Amino acid sequence: MKSMFPMLAVVAVLAGCASPPADLRDRAPAQPEAASGYQAKPGWRTQRFSVAAANPLATDAGYQVLKAGGSAVDAAIAVQMVLTLVEPQSSGIGGGAFLLLFDGRQVQAYDGRETAPAGATEQLFLRADGKPMAFIDAVVGGRSVGTPGTVGMLELAHQRHGKLPWRQLFAPAISLAEQGFNVSSRLHTLLASDAHLKKDPVAASYFYAADGKPHPVGHLLRNPELAHVLRLIAAHGAKGLMQGEVAQAMAAKVQGHASNPGLLSLADLAAYQPKQREALCHHWRAAAKDYRVCGFPPPSSGAIAIGQILGTLEHTPAATLALEQGLPSAPWLHLYTEAARLAFADRAQYVADPDFVAAPGGNWANLLDPGYLGQRARLIGTTSMKSGQSGTPGAMTTAYAAMPEQVEYGTSHISIVDASGQALAMTTTIEAGFGSRLMVNTGAGRSGGFLLNNELTDFSLAPRDANGTPIANRVQAGKRPRSSMSPTLVFEQPSGQLVMSAGSPGGALIIHFTAKALYGTLQWQLNAQQAINLPNFGSLNGPTLLEEKRFPGATIEALKARGHELREGGGGGARPVRRTRVAAHPKDANRLRRGGGGGSDGGLFAGNRCPG
Ligand code: GLY
């Protein structure tokens, strides 16, 4: 599910808009990464444990850890280290992540989001004329690089939930980095379509041949520099990355960029702290059953937006609208996308790093209050509102200006259930495909390295609106940018039994991809693979977005008749890659099959291995 629509030109964002600027509203959303083909996946069923990740080599690393008696967190560490090597475009040790863990009793939320350097100000992405930089100009180079948090977060989670020794979890990735892995079709396609990565000399000599062409599919690619860095982390923990020679290489790379230097310093790296937060959970009734849906709180907007969409739909006739010939109907799509418009309006108004911005009424749960969502649902009529306005949850009017919708990219998702019943949903990212396009190498002559994130462009590039009112999600020193990442754990009520671990890559569309998986499985009673295979749909509070050539003409005409402005996308008729991942509780395996990994070029919820 990397790409629902074709890759589009980047949109510059202007300050002063309460809803998406016209040029963004007039386009389908830019996408996380280019589509690279579709592979049908049957879905997998397992008995004791499962791991679903974006690449079979990463999945296998997690499988080996689980088989050896490791915990879900142990397995996630092994998976993440291999993803750094084999899916470098999406996540890695140079990025950030959110990890949601059910330890058998409660849900815990670990925040490894990147932070803005101590030297950053709200002017970071403003040009000399005071206008925001073009998005791609902001992304490429050192300016967009936030202090990486994934390794620090995994270290904290391992201290609390690890079973196997930390060092052991790095062995699969180190071995693959030294012996080499075969370049996947997806990695090759993305390398071929990227115009910026080869400007970085380290990345150019690692990913591309001497003639400037990306290494072909199947090429054996070795990364001895990454093996060296992973050995340091294995031996010294997060300090192996955030201090010493690797930290020096990161800071030098960011600060030394010739045309777009950044601020990341040795002090920022040494000071990084992962955080434990309280998971955000809400009640959801689907198909006459009660569920507790838990997700990640701010700085992610994912759990709030998904909870608002599902909760708002509960106040509409949506639940009475079954699939028609296996597809969401026009009346249902109308209700869903209207609920989404309202949710995205609230996200633009309120959601930002909670250490800098107060929740409306002092509690983020106010945004999920059934009474509030009932009021919001009453704004949905028979014709489209086209663009929703934010509400006033918790009897508080905000002091902030709404953030214009801005492109988001990239990301990977890992879902794991271990043999003891612990479950994990971890969404992990370096933001855009290949992040900031800066590859770190400590300079000892080893080839390769790892990519740095461009997560700071998840802040609003424009810090204030035209009246000078600040935007909640503006750049501030030490702040974490707002995210769409939506790691989700679902529990049956009142038993409390775990039903599902789910999540997705996809920029802002993560929210819709994950909501589709939840609605498809629990309301429409599809198995996980069928739910993921449903065509994609959504709205970012602009046009109604439909996956190209997947909906009948009658549905499209019916939506137009309700006033929807439609945008279809899908990559030249090719069905897009799907990468949403779902892992279900073993006891529920008959209904929600559990995935074993993802083909490197396209699977979601699936792979080439059926563990457990
Ligand atoms: N950069 C993708 C996200 O955080 O949602």
Side-chain angles (χ1 to χ4, degrees):
M1 193 177 279
K2 281 290 183 201
S3 287
M4 173 173 160
F5 302 100
M7 205 150 83
L8 294 169
V10 174
V11 178
V13 178
L14 303 173
C17 305
S19 56
D23 59 348
L24 181 57
R25 278 203 304 269
D26 290 343
R27 301 174 193 201
Q31 280 308 292
E33 292 168 11
S36 56
Y38 177 80
Q39 289 178 1
K41 300 282 177 178
W44 274 260
R45 188 175 303 205
T46 68
Q47 294 303 317
R48 289 185 296 128
F49 51 78
S50 67
V51 49
N55 182 291
L57 294 168
T59 307
D60 191 62
Y63 168 59
Q64 299 299 342
V65 167
L66 292 172
K67 206 165 68 148
S71 67
V73 167
D74 291 334
I77 294 165
V79 170
Q80 176 66 86
M81 297 310 143
V82 175
L83 287 177
T84 305
L85 177 73
V86 301
E87 200 199 28
Q89 69 273 17
S90 298
S91 77
I93 60 175
F98 294 135
L99 189 160
L100 208 59
L101 179 77
F102 175 58
D103 66 2
R105 289 182 307 114
Q106 56 183 358
V107 179
Q108 306 189 13
Y110 291 96
D111 177 344
R113 188 70 164 165
E114 298 91 333
T115 52
T121 71
E122 66 177 48
Q123 317 292 320
L124 183 69
F125 294 116
L126 296 184
R127 302 184 315 210
D129 64 2
K131 297 218 167 69
M133 301 170 77
F135 191 79
I136 195 68
D137 293 345
V139 166
V140 177
R143 189 182 300 263
S144 63
V145 179
T147 315
T150 296
V151 174
M153 180 201 77
L154 288 172
E155 182 176 56
L156 177 63
H158 182 261
Q159 283 160 2
R160 296 184 183 170
H161 309 283
K163 282 190 187 159
L164 300 183
W166 169 261
R167 183 188 283 268
Q168 185 178 330
L169 308 172
F170 291 76
I174 291 171
S175 159
L176 271 173
E178 283 176 341
Q179 290 166 21
F181 70 99
N182 297 118
V183 169
S184 72
S185 151
R186 176 156 184 78
L187 176 56
H188 171 81
T189 302
L190 295 177
L191 287 169
S193 65
D194 193 274
H196 304 285
L197 186 62
K198 61 177 69 156
K199 292 178 198 158
D200 180 87
V202 179
S205 68
Y206 173 67
F207 287 117
Y208 297 89
D211 62 1
K213 294 213 170 84
H215 293 308
V217 177
H219 173 86
L220 190 71
L221 192 55
R222 293 189 177 86
N223 192 336
E225 170 67 12
L226 181 61
H228 170 68
V229 173
L230 293 178
R231 279 188 203 288
L232 290 174
I233 301 171
H236 305 292
K239 282 185 183 159
L241 179 75
M242 307 298 268
Q243 297 181 23
E245 62 176 296
V246 188
Q248 280 163 15
M250 280 195 271
K253 187 97 192 181
V254 168
Q255 294 177 22
H257 192 272
S259 59
N260 196 20
L263 298 162
L264 184 71
S265 70
L266 287 175
D268 292 319
L269 291 161
Y272 183 84
Q273 291 293 330
K275 297 203 171 189
Q276 192 165 356
R277 301 193 186 274
E278 210 168 305
L280 200 53
C281 302
H282 64 93
H283 172 264
W284 182 42
R285 189 161 172 81
K289 286 183 88 170
D290 292 305
Y291 297 100
R292 186 164 172 257
V293 180
C294 293
F296 216 91
S300 183
S301 61
I304 290 174
I306 291 171
Q308 285 196 319
I309 293 169
L310 297 178
T312 303
L313 288 177
E314 282 191 83
H315 296 277
T316 73
T320 65
L321 300 170
L323 293 171
E324 289 180 357
Q325 296 177 336
L327 298 173
S329 66
W332 186 87
L333 288 165
H334 169 70
L335 294 173
Y336 178 92
T337 54
E338 294 293 275
R341 287 181 173 89
L342 295 167
F344 273 81
D346 274 358
R347 156 181 137 119
Q349 187 68 50
Y350 295 111
V351 182
D353 184 343
D355 296 331
F356 287 74
V357 168
N363 191 341
W364 296 107
N366 287 335
L367 284 156
L368 296 169
D369 177 69
Y372 173 65
L373 296 180
Q375 283 171 28
R376 299 290 277 163
R378 286 194 281 283
L379 299 172
I380 300 177
T382 52
T383 58
S384 178
M385 66 182 77
K386 298 184 191 302
S387 179
Q389 300 298 315
S390 58
T392 50
M396 171 192 165
T397 50
T398 179
Y400 295 105
M403 176 177 159
E405 193 59 42
Q406 198 168 284
V407 289
E408 290 173 41
Y409 293 93
T411 305
S412 200
H413 181 80
I414 303 162
S415 274
I416 299 175
V417 180
D418 72 20
S420 75
Q422 294 201 5
L424 169 152
M426 173 173 154
T427 313
T428 174
T429 187
I430 57 169
E431 221 296 291
F434 305 106
S436 61
R437 277 64 162 199
L438 298 187
M439 193 166 212
V440 178
N441 183 295
T442 55
R446 291 176 288 262
S447 162
F450 64 94
L451 289 162
L452 288 171
N453 69 84
N454 65 296
E455 218 67 59
L456 301 187
T457 58
D458 272 1
F459 285 117
S460 179
L461 301 191
R464 289 164 190 268
D465 73 2
N467 301 320
T469 307
I471 290 166
N473 184 35
R474 69 192 183 287
V475 181
Q476 291 176 275
K479 192 175 177 182
R480 295 168 192 229
R482 189 191 72 189
S483 172
S484 302
M485 294 195 287
S486 307
T488 306
L489 296 171
V490 184
F491 302 86
E492 207 164 61
Q493 295 288 80
S495 71
Q497 181 185 299
L498 174 77
V499 173
M500 186 190 298
S501 161
S504 182
L509 295 167
I510 287 172
I511 288 163
H512 294 309
F513 297 159
T514 307
K516 185 188 79 170
L518 297 181
Y519 209 91
T521 50
L522 300 180
Q523 177 63 41
W524 287 328
Q525 301 283 291
L526 302 173
N527 71 35
Q529 189 66 58
Q530 291 165 335
I532 290 163
N533 286 350
L534 287 172
N536 290 316
F537 48 79
S539 174
L540 309 180
N541 200 15
T544 293
L545 311 171
L546 297 180
E547 187 176 332
E548 190 177 48
K549 297 188 176 149
R550 298 290 309 279
F551 289 96
T555 301
I556 289 169
E557 290 311 315
L559 286 169
K560 283 184 185 163
R562 288 174 181 261
H564 286 256
E565 193 190 330
L566 298 180
R567 291 287 179 276
E568 288 185 83
R575 292 176 72 197
V577 173
R578 289 179 146 63
R579 291 188 169 223
T580 302
R581 299 186 196 286
V582 175
H585 189 274
K587 287 181 188 152
D588 215 11
N590 286 336
R591 186 152 62 89
L592 300 169
R593 296 174 181 184
R594 290 176 297 145
S600 59
D601 196 22
L604 91 127
F605 166 69
N608 58 352
R609 171 71 78 165
C610 185

